[in-house]
Amino acid sequence: MANSLKGYNTMIRLAVVGLGKMGLSHHAMINAHPRVKVAAVCDAAGYVLDVLNKYTGVRTYTDFDAMLREVELDAIIIATPSSMHGKMVKAALEKKLHVFCEKPFVLDTAEGDEVTRLAKQHNLVNQVGYHCRFVGAFQEVKRLLDAEVIGEMTHLTAETYGPVVLKPKGSTWRTQRSAGGGCLYDYAAHPLNLLTWYFGMPRGVGGSVLNSVFSAETDDEVFSTLYFDNGRSGQLSVNWSDESYRKMSTKITIWGKNGRIYADRQEIQVYLRDATNAPEGYQQGWNVRYTTDLTEPVDFYLRGEEYSSQLDYFVRCIEEGRADDNVNSFEEALATDKVISMLIADAAKGPSVLSGDALPEQPQQRRKKGFFFGGRA
């Protein structure tokens, strides 16, 4: 297969693997793309395949390897359970296919390192479905941070809440740590991916809590402190058992020496102490811009513009041969997976200081001995 279709007047031949909620969404959007032909679909459920074959005529497979052998493809979308990603991504890359993989990327970071190297070796476009990077408000946060509008960041909060697991119930692949990874991989991955985009990898994490509310096998809420260079810090707060939210809601708040940025799916709010170096349209004090004003229209709308935008971006990267210039690359997603691994390791350690531990002298005690914070009294 050609690594790039640049200069060719041809359709991209693509397969969709995994026809659950996200896979069917991706199929609907990419099937409507004017420069893509869905050549095959693959899933374990025969009923879904029968319906698609009957009404669209697309070639259907239950055997992933057989599909790769028999169908001429340029690219593939993988939307299977997370535990299957690594093996399938590797097989597709070895067939020289450009790969879009749903998030989370992998549950094993060693596996992620291997396929990231393979994608680079073959110069193939590689992308992971962190759709928040295509939300207008979150993109504007990145633009303002790069312009240093609020000055040096001092602290941040990253939050995601939603009503996924609201009572004890039978297990699904999403609620099994070995298959889907629970709230940590399915929900917390989104704000973490935004933070690694904005600030890079944190140098450490602490006080991590992975707590079960209703799930028997995995976490339903995640809390942690993230430590960045130069004393900067952040708080992560995520809960997918929160019935007070109608649907998933991700929020980012960032404090800097010159102001504050808040953003969610709908809008970005910016407070500036000094607007001297602010972009056009921003002034001292409060500024509000809405996602609808920050988002380019898409050809096919389903669930939100960001979902179509990320797939169109994948297509354009293939057409333009931009294997090394992808905002949502495997390498970017792997950074998120590595932070998740840090959280798991930290949570397993438990509290760093216990109530019965020997504690250092308190400032009040030092003052009694003739000291105060500025030096000797």
Side-chain angles (χ1 to χ4, degrees):
M1 305 298 171
N3 284 350
S4 168
L5 299 180
K6 191 173 183 178
Y8 292 85
N9 183 21
T10 186
M11 300 281 279
I12 294 173
R13 299 163 298 183
L14 181 144
V16 179
V17 183
L19 296 172
K21 180 184 73 172
M22 288 308 305
L24 287 173
S25 294
H26 288 318
H27 179 274
M29 289 178 284
I30 204 67
N31 194 48
H33 198 288
R35 301 189 302 281
V36 173
K37 174 179 174 56
V38 177
V41 294
C42 180
D43 192 81
Y47 173 76
V48 175
L49 296 178
D50 289 344
V51 170
L52 279 174
N53 179 259
K54 178 180 179 179
Y55 291 102
T56 70
V58 68
R59 295 175 69 175
T60 60
Y61 287 85
T62 56
D63 187 322
F64 176 71
D65 294 324
M67 184 192 72
L68 292 184
R69 288 194 305 270
E70 298 174 14
V71 184
E72 288 291 317
L73 297 170
D74 302 299
I76 192 166
I77 294 174
I78 295 175
T80 56
S82 309
S83 60
M84 304 170 69
H85 288 176
K87 181 180 178 180
M88 288 184 164
V89 168
K90 182 179 179 182
L93 294 173
E94 289 174 340
K95 294 289 288 186
K96 307 297 190 296
L97 303 182
H98 306 288
V99 178
F100 179 101
C101 180
E102 248 311 312
K103 53 69 57 182
F105 181 30
V106 291
L107 302 182
D108 179 351
T109 56
E111 199 171 43
D113 280 321
E114 180 184 8
V115 295
T116 299
R117 287 193 300 269
L118 191 59
K120 289 184 177 180
Q121 176 186 331
H122 293 311
N123 196 35
L124 293 163
V125 174
N126 52 98
Q127 186 172 326
V128 176
Y130 281 107
H131 62 269
C132 285
R133 294 197 182 195
F134 291 86
V135 171
F138 294 134
Q139 290 178 331
E140 184 71 355
V141 172
K142 174 66 171 171
R143 186 172 81 98
L144 295 178
L145 289 173
D146 288 348
E148 301 181 345
V149 170
I150 61 167
E152 181 183 352
M153 182 271 279
T154 60
H155 188 70
L156 62 87
T157 62
E159 307 167 84
T160 299
Y161 308 109
V164 177
V165 180
L166 299 178
K167 61 182 179 179
K169 61 181 179 180
S171 176
T172 69
W173 70 265
R174 290 183 185 275
T175 59
Q176 299 172 14
R177 184 168 302 286
S178 61
C183 178
L184 177 60
Y185 278 93
D186 199 57
Y187 252 45
H190 284 291
L192 287 173
N193 184 259
L194 286 173
L195 296 189
T196 57
W197 188 32
Y198 296 154
F199 303 110
M201 285 272 293
R203 63 180 181 84
V205 301
S208 302
V209 176
L210 306 180
N211 189 43
S212 171
V213 179
F214 298 111
S215 296
E217 300 182 40
T218 189
D219 49 87
D220 296 317
E221 55 185 11
V222 179
F223 308 103
S224 186
T225 298
L226 310 176
Y227 298 95
F228 297 88
D229 292 333
N230 301 322
R232 301 176 299 166
S233 62
Q235 302 293 144
L236 177 70
S237 178
V238 181
N239 185 319
W240 73 357
S241 296
D242 189 342
E243 194 173 7
S244 67
Y245 284 82
R246 184 176 63 85
K247 61 180 181 178
M248 180 181 184
S249 176
T250 296
K251 314 171 187 181
I252 300 290
T253 308
I254 305 166
W255 287 265
K257 293 183 177 181
N258 189 47
R260 191 192 83 165
I261 296 174
Y262 167 86
D264 59 22
R265 172 65 181 79
Q266 285 72 41
E267 65 182 14
I268 177 172
Q269 302 174 9
V270 183
Y271 182 84
L272 298 177
R273 297 174 62 188
D274 184 342
T276 303
N277 298 318
E280 183 178 355
Y282 286 88
Q283 61 186 11
Q284 183 179 0
W286 281 107
N287 303 264
V288 179
R289 300 190 68 184
Y290 298 100
T291 289
T292 49
D293 300 323
L294 297 166
T295 302
E296 294 292 329
V298 295
D299 291 333
F300 189 86
Y301 181 95
L302 180 66
R303 304 182 66 197
E305 297 92 342
E306 60 269 29
Y307 292 96
S308 291
S309 293
Q310 68 175 350
L311 290 180
D312 185 61
Y313 181 79
F314 177 62
V315 170
R316 286 188 284 113
C317 284
I318 294 172
E319 293 173 328
E320 297 167 10
R322 291 162 48 197
D324 297 325
D325 180 25
N326 189 307
V327 71
N328 259 12
S329 68
F330 287 177
E331 186 173 19
E332 288 282 323
L334 187 57
T336 300
D337 291 340
K338 289 181 177 179
V339 177
I340 288 173
S341 294
M342 293 163 64
L343 297 179
I344 294 172
D346 180 52
K349 294 178 180 178
S352 59
V353 179
L354 298 175
S355 60
D357 290 347
L359 302 175
E361 290 184 325
Q362 298 299 306
Q364 304 94 298
Q365 294 172 313
R366 292 199 296 271
R367 183 186 296 271
K368 290 179 182 178
K369 292 182 179 180
F371 290 88
F372 68 108
F373 293 114
R376 182 175 293 275

